Amino acid sequence: MNKDFEIIDHTADVGIRAYGADLKDAFVNAARGLFSLITELDSVDEILQRNIEVDAPDEEILLVAWLNELIYLFDVENVLFKRFEINKLSDTHLEATAFGEKVDKTKHELKIGVKAATYHMTKIVKDDGYRVEVLLDI
Amino acid sequence: MAVPWKGVINKIDDYRWEIPQTYKQGMRVPGLIYASESMLRHIWEDEAYLQVANVAFLPGIVGYSLAMPDIHPGYGFPIGGVAATRLKDGVVSPGGVGFDINCGARLLRTNLTEEEVKPKIEQLTSALYINIPSGVGSEGKIRLNEKEMEKVLLKGAQWAVEKGYGEAGDIMVTEESGCMKRANPEKVSDRAKKRGAPQLGTLGSGNHFLEVEVVNEIYDREAAQVMGIMEEGQVLLMVHTGSRGFGHQVCDDYVRLMGEAVKRYGINLPDRQLACAPVNSPEGQDYLAGMACAANYAWANRQCITHWARECFIRVFNKGPRELGLEQVYDVAHNIAKIEEHTVNGQKITLCVHRKGATRAFPKGHPDVPAIYRNIGQPVLIPGDMGRYSFVAIGTETAMKESFGSTCHGAGRMESRTAAKRNVRGSDVLHELASRGITVKAASMSGLAEEASEAYKDVAEVVEVTHKAGISRKIAKVVPLGVVKG
């Protein structure tokens, strides 16, 4: 599989399926999938960075909480992220740095608003590498 | 030829279909879907009925796990789902309300006619687009400090009217008078407040819109007149939005909390997004207090938008508000949980009624119906897709008896957003609507493609089912003239 992530069809909402050699990669690609829905990733420059820490009772909830933290930052600070580095990842804890810039309407086309990542259909599958799936509420 | 759903879904009559309790082990009640046979085919194919069965797992659920004809798959609960749980031993589920808490519709009437508005529709739609912030990441003109935010959460639409946004009369014709009493801002995270503070008075994106529309057909002239809908050709305005990032964060916070409560209370669920807690537990009570804050935020939001929309009409037509007759018809919630009294098996009981993409439809005479509508029933606002039509209906006694006073809320999606975009471009949608005399201003072209008519069920079919089944009665059909999309 040569893809980092793909978008899954769902009647009302949109899903993301992300791949990675390890779980960190898959979490990074899920985050890129999320922001690719909001805007064209190529239009975003790396001007600022945010450090992010998330805790959760298990891996699946951690994945949802990670994406919801990014949605929160987009909503509150108007930041679009394009690159992510996950510095620490366990079943219950994640530390990451996200790189991007503030929304500039002359430069970024905002495509859709994402309300939240949901727990419905959340999946983390390990075969060759990792595959993660999340359904987003649009 | 045998129908594909044979053995899973049983026909009760032309508009009612039952999923027996035996379909899945763990269902506490059967499922009931309101649909025509042709609509059921789609509900079978997109597997929305599975979610109806899943909701039947909720502890304390009574009667049926219900689905309105606009049902389509959601996350956990189906959209178009209604579930009522007993207060004494039942649960409340944030997923049964959804992320956009109190997403709802508001309808205003005017004295204007299509002939008067048509020559100025470009100007009017532009004025609405400019004066009411819309689109992804849109921020409002109102700045709320912590203290003001608290007042919004406690008072809802009443806060807005006190601040000069709108008129006292608007509140009289708003569900719950635009203010749910159990709201407690302490039960809402700082994150939610931070997310909501800059967004009050914004339309948002997705399926949210403002629509200048024309009365096309009246089915019950007497009831329509009570609502101020006098004749074909009259112009109305519909507002469709909700609680923005504030509600999304309240839902996210509580789904997460309830995920842990589920383990603590030993509740067995087929889907994590159905996470719930007993209504009478601290978690359940806290959610209802937080949800009420979000519901109030949404009512304040629609109230502020209403005010600016009125200003646009006044400016464009250069007439006063009285002359324009810009009065509110009604405002209903489409995503909400309510504590209500209903009669089940001949007994009056208090229930927590979850409406997820469904409208309250109380009959005439019900004490919660505003005085001016008490002789006809509660108005029900059913927005369709932007290219076709929307409906105004009223609640009925049948709804009270069998659907916990609920009916449908809209057209219901049929096609995914990605599929809609594959099939049509936003600019094509714009041209197609323009060729039919509908002016559209949209913040995003791809957003517009996702909302193309073809992506939705025909709302006329949806309303026909609820009308024939008797859970609401159609009063008028309206068609779009100018649309602002987020």
Side-chain angles (χ1 to χ4, degrees):
Chain A
M1 183 62 64
N2 205 5
K3 265 184 249 177
D4 294 339
F5 62 82
E6 57 195 333
I7 303 305
I8 317 171
D9 266 12
H10 181 269
T11 313
D13 301 300
V14 174
I16 297 173
R17 184 179 293 130
Y19 304 89
D22 56 20
L23 195 58
K24 276 184 184 174
D25 260 4
F27 270 50
V28 162
N29 287 330
R32 293 185 60 235
L34 166 68
F35 280 94
S36 78
L37 288 169
I38 300 173
T39 195
E40 290 303 326
L41 290 179
D42 289 343
S43 72
V44 181
D45 289 312
E46 292 181 30
I47 290 172
L48 53 78
Q49 65 182 68
R50 290 284 178 273
N51 294 320
I52 294 165
E53 263 195 75
V54 184
D55 290 289
D58 66 43
E59 250 177 11
E60 283 185 6
I61 301 178
L62 193 65
L63 171 64
V64 174
W66 156 240
L67 297 179
N68 275 334
E69 183 64 30
L70 294 169
I71 293 167
Y72 173 79
L73 286 172
F74 168 70
D75 223 14
V76 170
E77 297 188 24
N78 293 315
V79 184
L80 291 162
F81 295 110
K82 72 174 307 187
R83 190 167 69 83
F84 308 86
E85 280 173 9
I86 294 185
N87 311 315
K88 270 188 198 169
L89 182 65
S90 72
D91 286 355
T92 59
H93 181 75
L94 174 152
E95 285 175 31
T97 313
F99 304 86
E101 67 174 316
K102 289 246 183 201
V103 173
D104 173 352
K105 288 204 174 156
T106 61
K107 182 174 163 188
H108 307 123
E109 191 212 348
L110 296 181
K111 297 188 286 186
I112 53 171
V114 180
K115 292 175 186 166
T118 78
Y119 298 95
H120 178 62
M121 299 190 343
T122 309
K123 247 187 229 163
I124 296 180
V125 184
K126 185 179 184 303
D127 7 288
D128 263 354
Y130 276 87
R131 185 179 93 228
V132 303
E133 290 180 19
V134 174
L135 182 75
L136 307 171
D137 185 11
I138 301 300
Chain B
M1 203 179 70
V3 289
W5 50 82
K6 192 173 184 297
V8 177
I9 302 174
N10 303 325
K11 183 172 179 170
I12 298 175
D13 61 28
D14 285 349
Y15 305 106
R16 289 172 180 80
W17 307 81
E18 187 191 51
I19 307 171
Q21 199 182 329
T22 48
Y23 167 60
K24 224 172 170 182
Q25 198 179 359
M27 284 172 72
R28 295 166 192 264
V29 293
L32 178 66
I33 301 170
Y34 291 93
S36 63
E37 184 158 341
S38 67
M39 297 178 101
L40 190 72
R41 197 164 290 275
H42 203 86
I43 295 164
W44 174 259
E45 282 164 8
D46 70 13
E47 298 187 335
Y49 71 96
L50 287 174
Q51 295 187 333
V52 181
N54 287 347
V55 168
F57 278 65
L58 294 178
I61 186 169
V62 298
Y64 287 97
S65 163
L66 294 166
M68 300 299 136
D70 45 343
I71 178 183
H72 55 282
Y75 36 86
F77 263 70
I79 298 158
V82 176
T85 51
R86 277 186 300 264
L87 222 50
K88 72 172 169 35
D89 60 347
V91 293
V92 59
S93 172
V97 174
F99 284 94
D100 199 355
I101 297 166
N102 189 8
C103 180
R106 176 178 286 216
L107 185 68
L108 272 78
R109 65 171 304 282
T110 75
N111 290 336
L112 297 165
T113 62
E114 187 178 4
E115 292 77 64
E116 290 171 280
V117 174
K118 222 166 185 174
K120 291 191 167 176
I121 191 65
E122 276 284 339
Q123 205 187 333
L124 179 62
T125 314
S126 294
L128 291 167
Y129 181 70
I130 291 162
N131 283 293
I132 296 156
S134 63
V136 185
S138 51
E139 296 201 345
K141 302 179 255 189
I142 301 166
R143 283 288 166 269
L144 296 170
N145 60 30
E146 219 173 293
K147 231 174 152 187
E148 278 305 313
M149 183 68 173
E150 204 153 284
K151 286 186 193 160
V152 170
L153 305 183
L154 285 168
K155 293 172 143 184
Q158 296 177 7
W159 171 87
V161 170
E162 281 169 24
K163 289 281 165 190
Y165 301 108
E167 298 160 16
D170 299 345
I171 286 170
M172 313 276 288
V173 283
T174 299
E175 188 171 329
E176 296 281 328
S177 302
C179 171
M180 274 183 111
K181 303 229 164 19
R182 60 170 66 233
N184 180 354
E186 284 174 26
K187 301 301 179 188
V188 170
S189 68
D190 288 340
R191 287 163 69 87
K193 290 173 191 162
K194 234 174 155 178
R195 224 171 140 175
Q199 295 183 353
L200 190 70
T202 64
L203 199 57
S205 62
N207 62 358
H208 296 153
F209 65 81
L210 288 169
E211 188 173 284
V212 179
E213 48 199 30
V214 179
V215 178
N216 179 261
E217 205 173 343
I218 297 176
Y219 308 101
D220 180 337
R221 223 158 267 280
E222 219 171 296
Q225 280 182 8
V226 177
M227 299 184 203
I229 299 172
M230 314 311 275
E231 56 188 0
E232 287 81 354
Q234 183 183 347
V235 169
L236 311 175
L237 176 81
M238 197 181 282
V239 180
H240 181 234
T241 185
S243 51
R244 311 285 289 108
F246 181 83
H248 310 164
Q249 191 64 42
V250 169
C251 180
D252 181 36
D253 291 342
Y254 277 100
V255 171
R256 183 128 182 228
L257 184 91
M258 298 256 181
E260 285 155 50
V262 162
K263 290 179 220 152
R264 197 156 44 248
Y265 296 104
I267 300 167
N268 170 34
L269 296 171
D271 188 326
R272 255 185 167 167
Q273 193 69 29
L274 291 175
C276 56
V279 183
N280 282 327
S281 66
E283 295 90 338
Q285 289 295 305
D286 287 357
Y287 169 67
L288 286 172
M291 182 211 72
C293 288
N296 290 345
Y297 181 99
W299 274 311
N301 193 30
R302 290 198 287 276
Q303 187 65 47
C304 295
I305 289 173
T306 299
H307 176 68
W308 295 321
R310 278 185 174 128
E311 286 185 342
C312 293
F313 273 85
I314 291 165
R315 217 169 321 133
V316 170
F317 294 96
N318 202 19
K319 285 182 178 175
R322 296 274 170 272
E323 206 182 337
L324 288 167
L326 275 166
E327 282 156 25
Q328 185 170 317
V329 174
Y330 201 61
D331 177 307
V332 285
H334 287 159
N335 288 348
I336 204 153
K338 293 288 214 39
I339 307 300
E340 293 170 356
E341 277 224 328
H342 289 273
T343 305
V344 180
N345 301 326
Q347 284 209 313
K348 257 199 174 167
I349 48 172
T350 310
L351 299 171
C352 177
V353 182
H354 301 72
R355 297 193 181 95
K356 168 103 174 57
T359 315
R360 195 182 73 171
F362 282 177
K364 63 180 174 188
H366 194 287
D368 289 346
V369 175
I372 66 157
Y373 297 131
R374 209 152 296 153
N375 288 328
I376 60 166
Q378 176 216 306
V380 172
L381 310 174
I382 309 159
D385 63 77
M386 63 187 162
R388 285 183 273 195
Y389 26 63
S390 298
F391 286 85
V392 180
I394 49 173
T396 63
E397 206 52 61
T398 305
M400 215 54 200
K401 279 189 197 130
E402 55 175 86
S403 59
F404 305 105
S406 315
T407 190
C408 63
H409 87 304
R413 276 195 89 88
M414 205 163 70
E415 193 178 70
S416 73
R417 291 172 189 278
T418 32
K421 267 193 296 199
R422 265 199 304 276
N423 298 338
V424 63
R425 288 190 324 196
S427 52
D428 295 337
V429 174
L430 203 63
H431 286 134
E432 207 263 323
L433 292 172
S435 73
R436 289 168 39 216
I438 305 168
T439 303
V440 182
K441 300 276 174 212
S444 151
M445 276 300 137
S446 64
L448 194 63
E450 291 175 14
E451 295 294 324
S453 289
E454 295 76 14
Y456 284 90
K457 296 184 193 186
D458 184 350
V459 71
E461 238 183 289
V462 169
V463 170
E464 204 52 31
V465 169
T466 53
H467 182 81
K468 294 256 173 69
I471 53 173
S472 54
R473 202 153 61 75
K474 60 179 184 179
I475 300 298
K477 180 167 87 177
V478 300
V479 295
L481 194 60
V483 184
V484 174
K485 287 296 280 187

